[in-house]
Amino acid sequence: MDGISSSFDYRKGWSINPAAKPGDIDAKAPFIDNGTEKFDPAQYYDKGWMAQEWEKLWTKAWLIACPSSDVREEGDFATFEIGNENIVVVRGDDGTVRAFYNVCPHRGNRLVHTAIGSLSNGFACSFHSWKFKLDGSLKSITDRETFRPEVVCHNPGLSAVRCEELAGLVFISMNPDAPDLRGWLGPVADHLESYQIDKMHVVRQVRSEWAANWKVGVDAFYEVYHLHAVHPETQGVMEDYFVQYDLFPNGMSRMCIPFYRPSPRVPDQLGVNEGLKMMMPDAALDPAGFTGTAQEVRIAAQKAKRERAERLGLGYEKLTDAQLTDSFAYGLFPNVQIGCHPEGVFLMRFIPHPQDPERFFYDITILFRPVGAVAEAAGNYDVPAWMGLPEGTDISGRVRPDCVHVPLGEPANLGLVLDQDSELLPVVQKGLRSRGFNGMLFGEQEQRLRHFHVELNRYMAGAPR
C-alpha cells in the first residue's frame, strides 16, 4: 500500500502534531501498557455478567444524562433511562442542575412522563397530587391530616442522584461516593471545554435498537481499523491508518482522525477526489477554485475555518489547527464517544437493554453551534454535511427536536456509514457465541478497546472507586 510504512513502534504510535508540547491539547499522551490479555467472550451474552454489570458498573460510574442545552432555563427537565431506572434532570430556580430518581416517594408513580419538558411550579404527582419543589424537597401532601405523623414526619422529598454539569454536558451517578467528576475525567475535561459545547443545541437525536451487546457497539466505534473493509467510501476524505490514539486514566481515551485528506490506502494521493470536493464547502472552501493537491486540502481548510471564525467572532483562539479539521473522538468510560468539531459534536451513547444482554440502544445526539444572522448572511457555516442531517432539518435551536425511536429490525436511516455498522454488529454478536472464538485479539490500532476492557474488569472485580 502506497504511503504506509512497514515499521510501527507501538510505544510511540502516531502523532497528528509531532511539534506539540506536553500539555498541548493535540499532544500524544504517554504510553499506557495494558498488556495482551484476551477477554472472555461470555461477557457479551451471559445474563449473569449483565446482572453484575448493573451492580458494579452502571450504578457506580458517571454517565452522561443529557446536554446542558436540554435544561437551559429554570424548570427545564430531561429524563435519562438506564436499566430499569428513570432519572430526571432539572434546572432549579437557583440555576443549579439537579437529578432525582423519577419516582414519587408516596406510591412509586413516575413524576414526569415525557422525555423533555418544563415545570412551571415544580413536580406534581399525577396519582395523588403530592407536590415537590425543583430542589426535590416536599412542597405539599394532599390531605396530610389523614396521615399518621409517624408516616410522613420526615417530610419525604425526592431521592437525589449525584449530578454535575461540565463542558455543556450533564453527568449523573447513582453512586453517592462517586469521585469528583473533573478529576475522574482527567485531561478530557479541559479538552471538551475547549469546544464550547455549552453554546450548542440539539438538532437531531435518534435512538435505535440493535441486536448486539452494548460493548460490541463500543468496540466498533473505538477504532477506525475496520473502515477500509466496512466503509471503503470514507477512504477518500479521512485517515484510517495514521491515527493518533491516546489513553488516559480511568478508562478515558481518544482518537484524533485527520479529515480532509485521503487514506494512505488510496493509490491517488494527489488528485482532489469527489469526496474532498463535497467536504470543502463545510470549511468555506470553493472546490471549483481550489488549485492544490489532495495533500494540501487539510491545511487550506484549517486556514479557511480560522479566517471564517475571526470574521464571525466564533472564538477559535483556544483551538489548534488540527481541532479545526480533524475528528477528536473522545471515549468517556463506560459508554460514550463524542466526536468533537468546532461547529458541533456527534454524541454517541451505547445503552444496555434492561433485560437482554444481546441487545442495546444506539443513541446519537447531534449538537450544533449557531451564530445567528451574521453567520447566515456570511454563508458557508452549517452543520457539517458528513453528520448526515436529513434535508430540511431545523438547525436554528428554536425548537428542540423529539428523539426518534427506531425499534429492533427497522432501518434507522442514520446514513450509509452508520447503517453499514447496524447491519454488521448483529453478525459479530452471533460470532461471539461460536465455539471457535476464544476471545479478542486486539492490535495496537485497537488499543482503546483494550484500555476500555481493562477498566471494565476493574469495576467487575469490585475495585474501589
Side-chain angles (χ1 to χ4, degrees):
M1 291 176 288
D2 292 342
I4 294 183
S5 171
S6 60
S7 63
F8 172 70
D9 185 340
Y10 68 87
R11 292 182 178 274
K12 292 183 179 179
W14 293 298
S15 174
I16 59 170
N17 181 12
K21 300 176 182 178
D24 289 351
I25 200 167
D26 52 3
K28 184 79 177 71
F31 173 69
I32 295 178
D33 191 348
N34 284 310
T36 59
E37 175 189 359
K38 288 199 296 186
F39 300 95
D40 186 356
Q43 66 174 289
Y44 293 93
Y45 54 80
D46 182 75
K47 288 190 175 181
W49 181 284
M50 179 185 183
Q52 288 296 304
E53 280 185 345
W54 175 252
E55 295 298 331
K56 296 180 177 180
L57 174 68
W58 300 111
T59 61
K60 298 294 188 290
W62 283 103
L63 307 170
I64 291 182
C66 65
S68 295
S69 61
D70 282 350
V71 289
R72 203 179 291 281
E73 305 294 336
E74 174 187 333
D76 287 352
F77 73 84
T79 59
F80 172 63
E81 197 154 5
I82 184 76
N84 291 314
E85 292 289 0
N86 189 285
I87 293 166
V88 58
V89 173
V90 63
R91 178 84 62 182
D93 49 19
D94 58 355
T96 300
V97 175
R98 298 178 177 85
F100 306 97
Y101 290 100
N102 186 14
V103 59
C104 179
H106 174 215
R107 295 271 294 277
N109 183 40
R110 286 228 174 136
L111 288 170
V112 298
H113 301 273
T114 58
I116 292 173
S118 186
L119 303 165
S120 57
N121 295 303
F123 298 94
C125 180
S126 61
F127 201 174
H128 300 94
S129 303
W130 283 34
K131 293 181 173 58
F132 306 87
K133 299 177 183 178
L134 293 177
D135 65 3
S137 62
L138 179 67
K139 190 175 183 180
S140 66
I141 295 176
T142 306
D143 302 337
R144 181 165 184 152
E145 68 277 5
T146 65
F147 286 80
R148 292 170 61 174
E150 295 83 355
V151 175
V152 293
C153 62
H154 61 298
N155 291 322
L158 305 184
S159 294
V161 177
R162 284 283 301 276
C163 180
E164 292 190 33
E165 192 175 9
L166 188 148
L169 301 166
V170 178
F171 294 76
I172 64 94
S173 178
M174 291 176 273
N175 178 9
D177 299 318
D180 169 71
L181 176 62
R182 182 174 288 276
W184 183 71
L185 290 171
V188 171
D190 292 336
H191 293 188
L192 292 177
E193 287 181 331
S194 72
Y195 286 94
Q196 304 180 80
I197 301 172
D198 57 315
K199 296 181 179 178
M200 300 177 185
H201 60 252
V202 177
V203 293
R204 190 185 192 201
Q205 183 180 6
V206 180
R207 178 173 290 193
S208 54
E209 188 174 346
W210 294 15
N213 184 270
W214 69 275
K215 296 183 291 295
V216 174
V218 171
D219 290 348
F221 286 94
Y222 269 29
E223 47 92 350
V224 292
Y225 181 37
H226 71 283
L227 261 61
H228 71 280
V230 183
H231 315 299
E233 56 282 329
T234 65
Q235 291 189 302
V237 298
M238 60 185 289
E239 272 285 0
D240 60 359
Y241 188 72
F242 293 112
V243 173
Q244 177 174 319
Y245 295 99
D246 293 311
L247 308 180
F248 304 110
N250 300 320
M252 310 301 162
S253 67
R254 75 171 175 185
M255 54 186 176
C256 303
I257 311 165
F259 276 21
Y260 292 93
R261 79 180 184 205
S263 160
R265 304 177 196 273
V266 174
D268 183 3
Q269 290 289 305
L270 298 178
V272 179
N273 59 62
E274 291 303 314
L276 288 173
K277 292 178 182 178
M278 181 196 73
M279 289 183 67
M280 282 184 183
D282 288 343
L285 283 176
D286 178 10
F290 186 75
T291 58
T293 69
Q295 295 299 317
E296 296 170 315
V297 173
R298 180 169 171 262
I299 293 176
Q302 291 168 353
K303 291 180 179 179
K305 282 194 173 186
R306 201 167 290 285
E307 291 170 358
R308 181 177 64 188
E310 291 176 0
R311 186 172 67 251
L312 302 180
L314 299 178
Y316 285 2
E317 293 81 8
K318 294 183 179 180
L319 299 178
T320 67
D321 286 344
Q323 285 181 285
L324 300 188
T325 52
D326 304 345
S327 178
F328 280 47
Y330 288 89
L332 275 60
F333 186 85
N335 70 322
V336 168
Q337 175 146 293
I338 308 179
C340 293
H341 305 264
E343 301 85 9
V345 300
F346 199 96
L347 171 64
M348 304 180 189
R349 290 181 292 177
F350 308 93
I351 300 175
H353 190 276
Q355 287 90 33
D356 190 344
E358 297 189 82
R359 291 158 66 183
F360 82 98
F361 300 101
Y362 177 60
D363 188 300
I364 65 162
T365 304
I366 300 175
L367 292 101
F368 173 63
R369 180 187 173 186
V371 289
V374 175
E376 293 172 9
N380 289 323
Y381 182 85
D382 205 339
V383 180
W386 64 264
M387 286 191 177
L389 283 187
E391 187 174 351
T393 298
D394 182 357
I395 63 172
S396 67
R398 288 186 286 269
V399 177
R400 204 283 193 189
D402 292 334
C403 178
V404 176
H405 292 267
V406 182
L408 184 67
E410 292 190 12
N413 296 319
L414 299 173
L416 175 62
V417 172
L418 293 179
D419 285 347
Q420 289 167 338
D421 289 316
S422 70
E423 294 171 2
L424 175 65
L425 266 56
V427 178
V428 173
Q429 180 68 34
K430 291 179 180 178
L432 293 171
R433 278 186 168 272
S434 172
R435 294 185 180 185
F437 182 72
N438 298 312
M440 305 290 189
L441 303 175
F442 292 135
E444 294 307 314
Q445 293 184 78
E446 300 157 305
Q447 61 185 271
R448 297 179 68 211
L449 282 65
R450 182 177 297 282
H451 192 60
F452 161 79
H453 283 279
V454 166
E455 185 69 9
L456 174 62
N457 279 357
R458 289 196 186 103
Y459 275 79
M460 297 299 282
R465 291 289 141 197

